[in-house]
Amino acid sequence: MPGTNATPSTTRTQQVADAAYRMRHHALNMGEAQGQGYIGQALGAADMLAAVYADQLRYRADDPHWTGRDRFLLSTGHYAIALYSALAEAGIIDAAELDSYGSDGSRLPMSGMASYTPGMEISGGSLGHGLTVAVGMALGLRHQGSDARVINFLSDGELDEGSTWEAAMGASHHQLGRLIAMVDINALQADGPTAGVLRTEPVADKWAACGWHTQRVDGNDVGALLAAFDEVTSEPVGAPSVILCDTRVGRGVPLLENREKAHFMRIDADEWQICRDQLTAGHEGVLV
Ligand SMILES: Cc1ncc(C[n+]2csc(CCOP(=O)(O)OP(=O)(O)O)c2C)c(N)n1
Ligand SMILES: [Mg+2]
């Protein structure tokens, strides 16, 4: 459980918060270009992805296939807009390419395709597969003597999938100490609130019972996210780690945060600029 490590430095926290801010702007711009998208998720998960890409992940922007890289696996293909924002922030794709999001012939389709997008490790989207692939990848990397880490991003709705729990038990059985799962607990899934569709609480107890080093944090608190990563041991043989992240759909844009929660958010043409203005105003507040 969290709380024993030192508080991350202000500079480090601010750098990640700034990256998350830019990623949220990217997501709004992509959403506006298409007139739709999983904007609520992209805004909600931006801090998680910024912690990964701006602080944790080892990669080479000019060589996405570098064998020594850490692997970031996005299980949730519908969050691709959030990952594209992170890949642009990381310099793996050019920010100008984000304009092509969701268009015919684009390398950035609305649901992620690994074969199209540099830096995208798997084609997520059929939920419940990400952690199974991550387990195999972590086993393979360890077998090769690599010290690369595997970070799998899952959603709370994805915890409804039985294969996720088979993989969770497998990771613990094989003591995949360099495997990290991050779960976006936004309390929402396609059919409504997660608690109403299929109750997953007490979710931390479930991961701990599977043998995982388990932490639960406010997933929109960059300092808490970094502190949680600092507690991950990343031993070659040891308990895998999960960081359960409670996030808010639409985070950073009050217009969307306060709207009825929706898996697929409708945003009117005249609202995008309001969203951008609110995001900018909120971030300046943080910086003061
Ligand atoms: C195996 C599988 N079943 C159903 C779906 C359809 N589906 C797409 S997104 C989604 C919701 C999953 O929950 P979550 O990711 O928590 O939703 P969000 O927070 O984005 O609203 C579902 C059921 C799918 N992609 N894969
Ligand atoms: Mg969800």
Side-chain angles (χ1 to χ4, degrees):
M1 286 295 172
T4 55
N5 57 309
T7 307
S9 75
T10 312
T11 313
R12 184 180 166 211
T13 304
Q14 191 65 57
Q15 274 169 356
V16 174
D18 288 348
Y21 167 72
R22 289 188 291 270
M23 287 162 50
R24 288 186 167 99
H25 267 294
H26 285 324
L28 287 173
N29 292 340
M30 279 185 274
E32 183 177 22
Q34 271 302 313
Q36 56 184 358
Y38 292 97
I39 307 298
Q41 291 88 335
L43 296 172
D47 299 305
M48 296 169 67
L49 283 157
V52 170
Y53 276 90
D55 189 78
Q56 288 292 312
L57 207 69
R58 187 172 63 179
Y59 64 91
R60 290 181 181 165
D62 57 354
D63 184 9
H65 296 293
W66 172 50
T67 51
R69 72 192 185 281
D70 293 330
R71 273 66 167 173
F72 178 78
L73 308 188
L74 183 79
S75 290
T76 49
H78 64 291
Y79 278 63
I81 185 171
L83 181 59
Y84 301 152
S85 304
L87 293 174
E89 176 62 28
I92 296 171
I93 58 174
D94 197 300
E97 189 171 351
L98 298 178
D99 293 344
S100 74
Y101 168 70
S103 306
D104 287 349
S106 170
R107 299 197 301 176
L108 312 176
M110 287 185 77
S111 190
M113 300 279 281
S115 56
Y116 288 15
T117 312
M120 180 166 261
E121 300 279 357
I122 60 166
S123 300
S126 185
L127 299 169
H129 288 91
L131 193 61
T132 65
V133 176
V135 166
M137 223 178 245
L139 267 173
L141 286 165
R142 187 171 66 190
H143 184 66
Q144 291 167 0
S146 168
D147 66 351
R149 299 194 297 176
V150 178
I151 302 178
N152 177 215
F153 180 105
L154 306 92
S155 64
D156 52 355
E158 203 177 358
L159 301 184
D160 295 358
E161 300 288 344
S163 49
T164 296
W165 297 105
E166 294 178 40
M169 288 188 284
S172 165
H173 174 82
H174 292 291
Q175 288 289 282
L176 297 175
R178 291 197 174 123
L179 174 63
I180 302 169
M182 304 178 81
V183 187
D184 180 11
I185 303 182
N186 63 3
L188 180 70
Q189 51 183 286
D191 293 335
T194 300
V197 177
L198 186 63
R199 190 173 56 251
T200 48
E201 299 292 351
V203 68
D205 292 351
K206 291 186 171 77
W207 286 91
C210 287
W212 286 59
H213 175 253
T214 303
Q215 301 179 74
R216 186 165 191 167
V217 300
D218 178 342
N220 294 125
D221 179 338
V222 169
L225 283 164
L226 297 181
F229 271 113
D230 287 347
E231 278 205 28
V232 170
T233 52
S234 296
E235 296 295 332
V237 179
S241 294
V242 62
I243 305 176
L244 302 165
C245 304
D246 290 293
T247 67
R248 284 170 288 296
V249 173
R251 175 67 173 176
V253 177
L255 178 76
L256 305 182
E257 272 190 67
N258 299 328
R259 174 169 292 188
E260 191 184 354
K261 280 188 170 192
H263 174 70
F264 199 84
M265 214 171 240
R266 302 265 164 232
I267 300 173
D268 291 339
D270 61 346
E271 290 180 323
W272 294 97
Q273 190 55 44
I274 299 171
C275 291
R276 267 190 292 273
D277 291 345
Q278 289 189 347
L279 178 60
T280 303
H283 189 63
E284 283 167 359
V286 172
L287 283 171
V288 167

